Amino acid sequence: MAAKEDLYTKVTPRRQRQNRPGTVKHGSNLDVLLSMGFPKTRALKALVSTGGRSVQAACDWLFSHVDDPFLDDPLPREYVLYLRPSGPLLHQLSHFWQQSRVTCGKNKAHNIFPHVTLCQFFMCADGKLEALCEALQSTVGQWRGRFPSPLPLQLYTSSNFIGLFVDEQVAEVLKTFASDFSTEAATKADVRVEPHKKQLHVTLAYHFQPDHLPALEKLAKGVDVSLGCDWLAVLFSRDIRFANHETLRVMYPYAPQNEDELELVPGDFIFMSPVEQNSTSEGWVYGTSLSTGLSGLLPENYINRADECDTWVFHGSHSFLSCASPSASGGAVGGLCDGLLDGRLLDDRSPGEPSSINVICQPMQVLRVNSQSRLPKRTLFVCRHGERMDVVFGKHWLSQCFDAKGRYIRTNLNMPPSLPARSGGYRDYDKDGPITVFGATQARLVGEALLESNTVIDFVYSSPSLRCVQTAHNILKGLQQEGNIMIKVEPGLFEWTKWVSGTSLPAWIPPADLAAANLSVDTTYRPHIPISKLTVSESYDTYISRSFQVTREILTDCKNMGNNVLVVAHASSLEACTRQMQGLTPQNSKDFVQVVRKIPYLGFCACEEQGETGVWQLVDPPILPLTHGPNHSFNWRETLLQD
């Protein structure tokens, strides 16, 4: 393999394509991609670039990179192995990150999450990644029971650096672990890994203004390093082409006016090299898109600085305390959003990260059936929840809205004035976020439309997710039935648990606490599928069967007691709760995901029972569609006070 310096000299955005054969088998996902006709080099690159999440994610990546000049060039990616804290210590460090940013602004430490570096960045060919991950898993397995716990950390400060250093003797033990991983990587994957030789530490702040030192030092002294922590061995990768580039996030859409300009989509990332900026006009920069691989000129005021690690790909984490790894290999940093709306995150939800979608709330074409005048029939309405906070404000919205004492303070008018208290603390909002003010407005408009259409709702069922309960509550407000119809919280209506990040389900707010927060929730309702029956990372077949079962049982319960049932749940529910009710067989998971991606916030469908046959059919909903475009955050200082 060529030296890293030689590879860097070869990769420029304007480089011509090169065709070289791919190598090495990459498992069943690769076989599927090859059977679809994709060349091996492309298929491997797509799988690695999407963290091996799924065939669908790889296909989306390939389609978006069809004009990428590097698509057929098997350049290796750069990898790094970190120790990442979890548990109480992570909360302390995250709080420091938040407070230091609020107090003193962003410094270089904010570019990457809290970590201890175990090795230098190293290169690995796409076809060798599977073996590399096996080497890490094997090494961690050998070290369970030997890993030093707790890890002794000592605070160190200087004029431009603040960090927590690992005790020297213990650091030598960690370096031995890194050396063992290096040996395993060489043996199993033929990959050369250089263990980190410098002092091991967690960087808290560096490259900050000198007058910020007292404030940062005071905050650092507040970090309780004695708190419990399970250190995780975590593997990340980045595109070698952009290792020395600045990472920027697209804030506003831009349609190219000339051939040398780059199309911008909000939520995408742009890589910018200082070398490429010499010949650009004032106000314009030259960059490369993460989502397409294309390069071109773009207006500088359409992008903002992003954190370096925002574009890294996650390839797995392993606990030294538990035999079950917190996260298996496969997925971008962050979690799967239930609507699967971000092409990069056909995942759950980055992590993170602003979605690049326009929310167009209209029924899918496949749901349209000719409507006729008819007598009232039993009707099942299924509706997706409203606009969610973590998609609008990003995965770090908690750090923006909660102070040191865990008190909620909204920082944008689209954030709700208050949030329900949670017995587990505000961190539970990370997996169970609320809807925005616009989300509540969307829901109320749907309720008002149902009222205007003289549609009577007899029963309302909701997924346990807070965003769904809040949406159902606001629909009832629009219907002027708030307090008259009570929401039955049904865990069986929760989305496919495979889309939940981490190793546990969200800690949902109990019905009694929801009612105490003035939400119209039935505290006496006994669910058909209790939370204890839900499992993490269930199979697609299990999710489809669960959705069909709970829908059928809900309709059976309501029979002869009312005609119309409203289910407020997730984007996937519109398909999962109605397809088998029509006597149709479930779609395969790939086609299912394609349908789900088209369902926006407050997507609404209607399914009618055909006589007493037990067969149901999709019909036109009684309300008009709802379209909602994005409205970006406006900073008058940055916009109006420019020189």
Side-chain angles (χ1 to χ4, degrees), residues 372-448:
Q372 302 172 352
S373 298
R374 46 190 175 259
L375 296 173
K377 296 181 179 180
R378 295 182 69 206
T379 306
L380 168 68
F381 299 112
V382 187
C383 181
R384 188 192 175 196
H385 59 76
E387 179 183 84
R388 47 192 286 182
M389 281 272 282
D390 53 350
V391 171
V392 174
F393 297 103
K395 60 184 179 181
H396 300 302
W397 74 273
L398 288 180
S399 62
Q400 301 174 28
C401 297
F402 287 90
D403 65 13
K405 296 183 178 180
R407 293 175 298 195
Y408 172 74
I409 303 171
R410 74 168 175 175
T411 58
N412 188 285
L413 288 177
N414 197 23
M415 294 177 175
S418 62
L419 292 178
R422 306 191 77 127
S423 57
Y426 74 91
R427 287 289 171 188
D428 285 349
Y429 276 115
D430 190 37
K431 285 189 177 182
D432 185 33
I435 58 174
T436 62
V437 172
F438 285 159
T441 303
Q442 291 171 328
R444 193 179 67 252
L445 286 172
V446 167
E448 290 172 354

Side-chain angles (χ1 to χ4, degrees), residues 35 45 56 62 97 118 124 142 172 279-280 309 317 323-324 326 360 463 509 516 598 623:
S35 70
K45 180 173 288 190
Q56 182 61 51
L62 285 165
W97 243 248
L118 291 180
C124 175
Q142 295 167 18
E172 291 304 314
S279 59
T280 59
C309 62
S317 66
C323 290
I360 304 175
S463 159
I509 301 177
K598 300 174 185 177
I623 61 175

